[in-house]
Amino acid sequence: MANVLIKETLSANESLLKNEIGESFDTIYRHFSIPAFDRAEAVIVYISGMIDARVIDETILEPLMRLDELPQGESHVKDSDCIKVLADCGVFTAALKETRMLDKVCSAVLEGDTALIVDQCSTALILTTRKYEGRTVSEPITETEIKGPHDGFIENIQTNAALIRRRIRDHGLRFDSMKIGERTKTMVAVSYIDSLVDESLLKEVKTRLGRIVTDGIVSADYIEELISDSPLSLFPLVGSSERPDRICAALLEGRVAILIDNAPFVIIVPFSFWSFLHSSGDYYESFYFATFIRYIRFFAVFLCISASSIYVLLTSFHQEMLPTALALKIAAARNGVPFPAVIEAFVMEIVLEIMKEAGLRLPKSIGQAVSIVGTLVIGQAAVTAGLVSPLLVIVIAVAAISSFAIPTFSLSNTFRLIRFPVLFSTAFFGLLGYLAAIAAIFLHLMSLRSFGAPYLSPVIPFDRSGNKDVLIRVPWWKMNRRPELARPKDKVRQAPKIKPGPPSEE
Amino acid sequence: MGKIKAYLLAFIVLDMVILSGCWDMREINELGLVTAVGIDKADGSNRYAVTVQIANPTSAGSSENSSGSGGASGGSPVWIGTEEGSTLFDAIRKLVAISSRRIIWAHNNVVVIGESLAKEGIIPVVDYFTHNPELRMKTIVVVAKGNAKDYIPAKIGMETPSGLSFIMLESYRYLTAESVESQMLLISSTLKNDYGNPIISEVSLPKRAMQPASGKGGEQFAQTLELSGAAVFKKDRMIGWLTREECRGISWMLNKTQNTVVTVFDPAHDNRGVAVETSGVKAKIRSKIVDGMPEFTISISGSGDIAEEDASTNSGISEMKSDIARLVNKKIEEDVKNSLETIQKKYMVDCLGFAAICHTQNNEKWHEGIKDRWQEIFPKIPVSVSADIKIKTSTLNQEPMKIR
């Protein structure tokens, strides 16, 4: 199939095509004749759901069927240049290309283009007529921000590229496309700014993408998993975002974005651990508040991992670490609870995870019922029945709410998982077990890399300039250099002294 | 085969981890949290009696107010038990036989030592409670007038369980300065010191707290625990009591008070009473050795505010301030001298750490004869005291409230 050329006769070509892409109800073979070519037979092939019918009517069918006179008296159909003539003065379509390969014709038709084949002509014309039904650009669902732009990526890669282009007018903005997936032939575009991006990084991205030989790419997460540095790690090593502003900010730092057709998420590489705890909203609020919020998030991470472990550790091992009044409160709350604190905590965590999962996929109308049942059964009944202590319910709830405060869903899921090993380690060895588990997590984090960049950079290894935007966010007029994470070619972001102020006296 | 071996190895390693864990796990609600302990040893007997107050978390944790009058009934915020044994540890272990919960000391705030035990020597108590890793070194140690046993069920302050009140009593001690600092750490380090003789706060049971309800007209006030006064020790044996005024004198000397009230009577104006609240009080003790005899100078400086005046005067502001300052200084000097008198002449025991001060300030001469004679020298050491409290206030000074 790969190298089959288009035949001379129309009927032969048509049967070849029908053999290849079939005669599904939406595959349309429209026959007509072109008056100017001695009423030569012609056929246009397209998929009805993927084209713009008006474009076909107005730019292909109408001009061709009315074309009764050729310029410069060229008249013969057998003329090998007939397709060129048609392209030059026959059809009105903006984008077209010629091909002699049947394979290309099929692919084009399946992508929503229209193929024009004329009898006695061994070249086909591919005319761009794509128009898919899809969402319009709307508010990103997973990364809502109060301030800042409210548009988000959609499933259409063209629109997504346009959303980026509208923000970055740099001449060096590139979208290098490739097709991944034997059957889905998904379009994947590697986007970067030519004058910033590190060549070796770009090469690595393209190599890793090129290595993917698979049946199909259905969503961005397929690619994420297939290009990760440490595929077995619990931690996400590749960033993704629904927000064009976030992607643009990454591109301006010299990073590489990967756009995938049919996926509203765009991948960013390299990505550091800290970036998962940042949100684009950090840059739309005052830097004082943004810094405060970042610390709140770090604290939320701590609570999410440790809340239940610390409860177990304090109630079962190190009662002397509690203030007396609190110790008495906990003892009173736990009075008559028949399980050890670990079992209590573990069961409640699991029940809560079940509730989260149940609430996630249920239709909204039933979702309410779940929350009522959950609140009543877990919050009230279990405590009243004396099966769990009310304090533990608070602890578990705090941990759950903390997991929602982590801005990136994938990292939040990681922490939801990781707290179970921490809990068990604590339950077996008390404070030592807890510390060992936390140390193990840190060691693992330190061993990770995202496209060559250390996962914990710029904190470990330490880089002073990079730390202006990690634990704190300094004001924009201080961020003179781009972060080192992606090793950008041009390190200077802005002029040195742009701190604003009132006009000077002189 | 290799695979099975690998699994077996993993299983064994995992077993080692899991089986060795949990051994020191104990749920908080299965523990008896001791909040106060009293230790007695009857005269001539060789058995220790230990009385513990254990918080009963069911009611202690709940918000309902309870009187804390003691007893071991179900609803009480504390459980009180007593047991005897030939050593302290013996007695404490035996408590398990009646308490149903394992006792932990991590939250204990106070050790009450009975008078007779204090007179016999407190080494066993200090040793047991510093040996035990659970016990905090910040635990307060007090000596009871009479038997320690009676103090554990007594009403103490307002906290529930009542043992917790001790922390509060101790933390506000600087306001009256009528007892001394006596934490376990301080006492054990003083006892280990070459020339250390501890002073430990005293508790008594005056009838000052309103009865809950059942007062039948006659007995309106019940016994409550009061922290004031102190016991003087010669090494580990108690030799006598100090009054609250003497404790105050010690507090002035040793920098242990800040916002104390000094009341003076102004002879120039019909002995009207004036109360001065001191602040920023600092005491400096200097020593020098003249002709083989140490001499001490204590200078106390600070400031004060007039908090209360009983009658108006017609003197000017600065005049009146200097008048009152003079009276306050005189009063402080008297307090200090009185307590020095008692300690030097009556008890003849250096419990103020003068030896250490003399040693550090005159290292060479200390070893030339003073060290060995310290016991006999101490009662004779001349100490000069001077106080310099400045009155800051200028309000309330001329025209207080008058009845026309």
Side-chain angles (χ1 to χ4, degrees), chain A residues 319-320 322 329 334-335 428, chain B residues 22 26 29 58 61 136:
Chain A
Q319 295 88 359
E320 66 276 5
L322 290 164
K329 274 266 186 263
R334 270 193 61 78
N335 214 11
F428 284 124
Chain B
C22 293
R26 33 186 203 182
N29 49 328
T58 329
R136 298 180 186 204

Side-chain angles (χ1 to χ4, degrees), chain B residues 158-400:
Chain B
M158 286 185 265
E159 312 303 317
T160 316
S162 58
L164 297 188
S165 297
F166 251 96
I167 295 277
M168 310 307 286
L169 291 183
E170 169 72 10
S171 68
Y172 292 127
R173 184 178 47 78
Y174 74 97
L175 287 177
T176 57
E178 287 177 345
S179 56
V180 293
E181 190 180 17
S182 53
Q183 292 177 349
M184 186 60 88
L185 180 66
L186 187 69
I187 290 161
S188 83
S189 66
T190 312
L191 281 173
K192 281 174 185 154
N193 201 327
D194 276 348
Y195 18 77
N197 300 297
I199 8 178
I200 299 178
S201 287
E202 170 199 344
V203 287
S204 52
L205 284 174
K207 290 193 173 176
R208 296 243 205 88
M210 183 65 101
Q211 289 266 24
S214 59
K216 283 183 181 174
E219 285 278 295
Q220 263 207 340
F221 285 91
Q223 283 189 325
T224 185
L225 186 142
E226 187 188 32
L227 182 71
S228 71
V232 181
F233 282 71
K234 184 169 188 177
K235 285 293 168 194
D236 65 322
R237 281 159 208 267
M238 177 183 154
I239 51 173
W241 301 103
L242 289 177
T243 64
R244 17 173 107 195
E245 287 75 21
E246 287 158 354
C247 285
R248 161 93 56 116
I250 292 174
S251 300
W252 289 123
M253 268 186 274
L254 299 182
N255 256 333
K256 298 291 183 210
T257 179
Q258 287 297 323
N259 299 61
T260 309
V261 178
V262 181
T263 309
V264 291
F265 298 97
D266 189 355
H269 298 93
D270 299 338
N271 272 342
R272 65 174 187 133
V274 178
V276 173
E277 186 187 13
T278 60
S279 57
V281 177
K282 280 202 180 81
K284 272 186 187 159
I285 306 180
R286 301 232 172 277
S287 69
K288 57 183 174 190
I289 294 172
V290 181
D291 301 334
M293 187 68 187
E295 281 175 19
F296 277 76
T297 320
I298 300 174
S299 47
I300 298 163
S301 63
S303 55
D305 291 301
I306 296 174
E308 187 184 333
E309 279 178 290
D310 288 356
S312 69
T313 62
N314 47 14
S315 47
I317 294 176
S318 55
E319 189 187 337
M320 191 203 65
K321 272 160 79 173
S322 64
D323 276 359
I324 291 176
R326 193 167 36 77
L327 290 167
V328 167
N329 291 335
K330 201 176 140 207
K331 167 84 172 137
I332 291 174
E333 284 163 16
E334 260 168 33
D335 275 358
V336 174
K337 277 178 184 156
N338 284 343
S339 49
L340 278 172
E341 177 83 13
T342 314
I343 290 166
Q344 280 185 301
K345 301 289 186 293
K346 185 175 167 195
Y347 294 128
M348 295 189 285
V349 155
D350 173 21
C351 55
L352 302 170
F354 275 18
I357 294 166
C358 190
H359 183 173
T360 47
Q361 290 181 357
N362 313 281
N363 188 23
E364 284 176 22
K365 288 182 181 167
W366 171 258
H367 290 291
E368 291 164 10
I370 306 240
K371 186 185 176 186
D372 308 322
R373 291 187 296 133
W374 184 256
Q375 284 293 357
E376 51 182 288
I377 294 178
F378 179 73
K380 295 174 220 154
I381 292 174
V383 184
S384 66
V385 183
S386 69
D388 180 22
I389 303 288
K390 293 193 170 57
I391 305 292
K392 286 190 303 184
T393 356
S394 56
T395 54
L396 245 187
N397 45 17
Q398 278 190 304
E399 296 288 330

